[in-house]
Amino acid sequence: MAQVTVTIDNKAYRMACDEGQEEHLMDLGQRFDRYVSHLKASFGEIGDQRLTVMAGIMVLDELSELQKRIKGMESEVMTLRKTRDEALSKADKNDGALTGALSGLAERMEALAGKLTVKAAQNP
């Protein structure tokens, strides 16, 4: 198991992570530190624990908003898929009707051509 040191509010925290996840964990630590720094700049020295809790709540608030957006997008994707499926079904029906109409027209043309051939043979 790998270990990294993450700095939050100028305090170093040694953490363990899976091999290959070191950079990701360090990035998360830096991002969390920005939340803490932002709060500290806004509210001043209000205590490490309070800053950490407030930063955690901010992160969870953002996560909650992103989850809502994802649900909305998933719903939109489902609606688009349903609309696409309906359009494809309608197109298939239209293709079938068009194929039938063209087939009937071809038969009528062949019959007419046959009659014309017979008439032309009768009237040389």
Side-chain angles (χ1 to χ4, degrees):
M1 186 153 268
Q3 291 195 355
V4 296
T5 301
V6 175
T7 303
I8 298 173
D9 195 26
N10 297 318
K11 293 172 189 72
Y13 298 91
R14 192 138 179 84
M15 302 181 144
C17 63
D18 290 334
E19 293 291 333
Q21 294 295 311
E22 299 90 348
E23 192 173 318
H24 179 64
L25 181 56
M26 291 174 66
D27 179 55
L28 292 173
Q30 290 171 350
R31 290 170 59 190
F32 191 76
D33 183 52
R34 286 194 292 270
Y35 281 95
V36 172
S37 297
H38 169 73
L39 289 169
K40 197 171 189 177
S42 297
F43 298 105
E45 291 292 336
I46 59 172
D48 291 347
Q49 196 171 24
R50 183 177 281 171
L51 281 171
T52 303
V53 168
M54 290 172 69
I57 289 172
M58 286 178 66
V59 169
L60 288 173
D61 182 49
E62 280 188 27
L63 175 63
S64 176
E65 288 301 315
L66 290 172
Q67 287 172 332
K68 287 178 189 175
R69 287 178 60 192
I70 288 171
K71 282 184 181 180
M73 288 178 184
E74 286 173 341
S75 175
E76 188 176 337
V77 166
M78 287 179 65
T79 300
L80 290 171
R81 283 183 179 155
K82 183 179 176 188
T83 302
R84 178 204 60 199
D85 291 346
E86 289 170 356
L88 288 172
S89 177
K90 188 174 182 179
D92 285 346
K93 288 178 185 176
N94 288 342
D95 284 352
L98 182 58
T99 300
L102 288 174
S103 178
L105 183 59
E107 288 173 8
R108 287 175 52 200
M109 289 174 69
E110 287 175 6
L112 183 58
K115 287 179 184 178
L116 288 174
T117 304
V118 168
K119 208 162 212 155
Q122 291 173 353
N123 298 324

